């Protein structure tokens, strides 16, 4: 039911963040009425300023750890700081955002009979013993470490989503997001792509943690948002969780060297100790997404890095 309006009313929590802003843009382009909800802890108005003139776009400053009363048809729950620098700043609030936020958004979805999407994470797999990680792998997570507020918060949110579905017949979708990069990443979020690009553009030393042989898989933001929308539009019986990421695997040294070439940087590579509980390998098995949603990443690492570097060049010029 869409009231007197023929447009789908969609709520995006964390809508002013890196992923949220791209999702709001995509949903508006598809003809939705979009409520962008954010407390602006890591999100920024700069990410969504170009959308303000759209009469079907609305911004609400609100924290998901408090209940929300709006009328919506769909909810994308993206609210949560997602980089170690930000989620370890206030770990108790990070857990509250994942857990209380999930409870509040599920409560809203239950009242409005809305379909609800949870942005989960590859961090639910922890430092994995299975490689690449399929959705039926339960993970290897330290419940009391410095990363636990995020890892366990997201694991508990998944529990809540599936318990609400079993107990109340809720219409849920759960995506496990692997490393994603692109324009509008926060320049000081401590993530490897933004770190390396900013350091390279400033000709500062590029910081590698450990020996630099640990691997990550990098998905360009446009590919990820396509996965979000496809998952949300799947039949109700397909709930996920489903891995969304790029299975191409690169060592940190390979990434640093590629960014140096693309930026023409003269930065040297330096090594620092590996942070506690930092996973050594991270690569998605995306067979489920391919088979059920016909989804796979289309943007190569080089193409994506060029767009991301261009964004950071403009940002650094002010």
């Amino acid at each position: 039911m869409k009231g007197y309006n023929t447009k789908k009313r969609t709520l995006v929590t964390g809508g002013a963040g890196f992923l949220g802003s791209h999702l709001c843009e995509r949903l508006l382009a598809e003809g939705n009425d979009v409520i962008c909800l954010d407390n602006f802890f890591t999100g920024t108005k700069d990410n969504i300023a170009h959308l303000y003139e759209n009469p079907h776009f609305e911004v609400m400053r609100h924290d998901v750890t408090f209940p929300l009363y709006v009328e919506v048809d769909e909810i994308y729950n993206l609210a949560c700081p997602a980089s170690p620098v930000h989620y370890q700043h206030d770990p108790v609030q990070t857990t509250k955002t994942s857990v209380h936020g999930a409870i509040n958004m599920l409560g809203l979805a239950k009242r409005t009979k809305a379909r609800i999407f949870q942005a989960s994470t590859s961090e639910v797999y922890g430092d994995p013993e299975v490689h690449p990680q399929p959705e039926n792998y339960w993970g290897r997570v330290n419940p009391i470490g410095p990363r636990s507020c995020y890892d366990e918060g997201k694991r508990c949110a998944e529990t809540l989503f599936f318990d609400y579905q079993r107990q109340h017949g809720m219409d849920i979708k759960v995506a496990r997001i692997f490393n994603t990069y692109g324009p509008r990443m926060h320049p000081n979020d401590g993530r490897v792509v933004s770190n390396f690009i900013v350091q390279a553009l400033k000709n500062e030393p590029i910081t590698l943690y450990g020996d630099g042989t640990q691997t990550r898989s990098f998905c360009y933001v446009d590919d990820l948002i396509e996965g979000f929308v496809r998952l949300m539009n799947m039949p109700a019986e397909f709930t996920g969780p489903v891995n969304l990421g790029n299975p191409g695997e690169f060592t940190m040294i390979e990434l640093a060297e590629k960014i140096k070439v693309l930026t023409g940087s003269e930065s040297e590579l330096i090594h620092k100790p590996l942070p506690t509980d930092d996973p050594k390998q991270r690569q998605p098995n995306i067979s489920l997404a391919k088979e059920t949603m016909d989804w796979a990443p289309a943007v190569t690492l080089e193409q994506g890095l060029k767009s991301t570097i261009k964004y950071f060049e403009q940002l650094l010029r002010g």
Side-chain angles (χ1 to χ4, degrees):
M1 164 148 181
K2 303 180 178 64
Y4 294 107
N5 195 344
T6 56
K7 288 181 176 289
K8 192 184 288 178
R9 299 166 302 184
T10 305
L11 171 67
V12 180
T13 75
F18 163 46
L19 297 180
S21 61
H22 285 277
L23 178 59
C24 286
E25 204 169 61
R26 169 71 181 266
L27 294 170
L28 286 166
E30 292 190 349
N32 292 269
D33 260 329
V34 176
I35 300 173
C36 165
L37 184 133
D38 211 295
N39 69 350
F40 297 102
F41 172 57
T42 56
T44 168
K45 291 178 181 176
D46 291 340
N47 286 343
I48 51 172
H50 63 295
L51 304 176
Y52 286 174
E53 297 302 312
N54 190 318
H56 300 289
F57 182 66
E58 180 182 351
V59 183
M60 292 181 69
R61 182 187 286 269
H62 183 85
D63 190 315
V64 293
T65 61
F66 297 95
L68 178 71
Y69 301 97
V70 292
E71 302 306 314
V72 290
D73 303 301
E74 284 185 346
I75 301 167
Y76 285 87
N77 186 37
L78 274 60
C80 190
S83 72
V85 168
H86 292 142
Y87 67 63
Q88 290 172 1
H89 170 74
D90 187 345
V92 172
Q93 184 62 25
T94 296
T95 303
K96 282 183 177 178
T97 301
S98 287
V99 178
H100 292 188
I103 291 167
N104 287 329
M105 291 306 109
L106 284 161
L108 174 62
K110 184 182 169 199
R111 181 182 68 78
T112 59
K113 297 181 171 54
R115 173 171 283 189
I116 182 166
F117 172 105
Q118 168 65 5
S120 191
T121 172
S122 60
E123 298 296 339
V124 300
Y125 299 122
D127 189 3
E129 300 150 304
V130 175
H131 190 77
Q133 293 82 55
E135 289 85 354
N136 60 5
Y137 174 54
W138 290 355
R140 177 173 171 261
V141 176
N142 176 0
I144 58 169
R147 301 170 70 100
S148 308
C149 58
Y150 185 70
D151 302 5
E152 295 288 33
K154 288 288 192 178
R155 284 163 70 95
C156 185
E158 286 197 15
T159 301
L160 284 161
F161 266 68
F162 281 91
D163 281 339
Y164 265 78
Q165 189 233 5
R166 284 185 285 261
Q167 194 169 333
H168 301 296
M170 301 266 300
D171 190 353
I172 66 164
K173 305 289 178 193
V174 177
R176 290 178 177 162
I177 303 166
F178 284 69
N179 289 53
T180 305
Y181 70 99
R184 299 186 208 140
M185 289 185 85
H186 197 294
N188 302 316
D189 67 2
R191 294 192 209 194
V192 64
V193 173
S194 48
N195 263 11
F196 285 6
I197 290 175
V198 170
Q199 289 169 339
L201 289 173
K202 291 181 174 179
N203 280 311
E204 294 173 355
I206 293 176
T207 310
L208 294 165
Y209 293 94
D211 60 9
T213 59
Q214 67 270 40
T215 64
R216 293 291 184 273
S217 306
F218 302 102
C219 184
Y220 189 63
V221 62
D222 290 358
D223 284 332
L224 187 77
I225 298 303
E226 175 65 26
F228 282 11
V229 173
R230 287 196 191 195
L231 176 57
M232 192 60 129
N233 293 331
M234 289 292 288
E237 56 270 19
F238 184 73
T239 58
V242 60
N243 289 337
L244 295 178
N246 193 320
E249 190 180 12
F250 298 89
T251 67
M252 297 300 93
I253 291 174
E254 287 173 328
L255 178 67
E257 293 292 358
K258 194 174 276 285
I259 287 171
K260 275 186 67 173
V261 170
L262 292 173
T263 56
S265 175
E266 296 174 4
S267 297
E268 61 173 327
L269 306 185
I270 60 168
H271 293 262
K272 289 190 176 181
L274 199 64
T276 304
D277 297 334
D278 193 57
K280 293 173 224 29
Q281 286 184 305
R282 187 56 62 69
Q283 184 189 16
N285 178 329
I286 61 167
S287 302
L288 183 63
K290 280 181 176 174
E291 290 162 13
T292 56
M293 296 165 25
D294 192 27
W295 177 88
V299 179
T300 67
L301 183 62
E302 186 158 326
Q303 289 170 328
L305 285 174
K306 284 178 180 175
S307 300
T308 311
I309 288 164
K310 186 178 176 184
Y311 167 78
F312 278 109
E313 282 174 338
Q314 293 168 344
L315 194 70
L316 293 174
R317 280 201 297 267

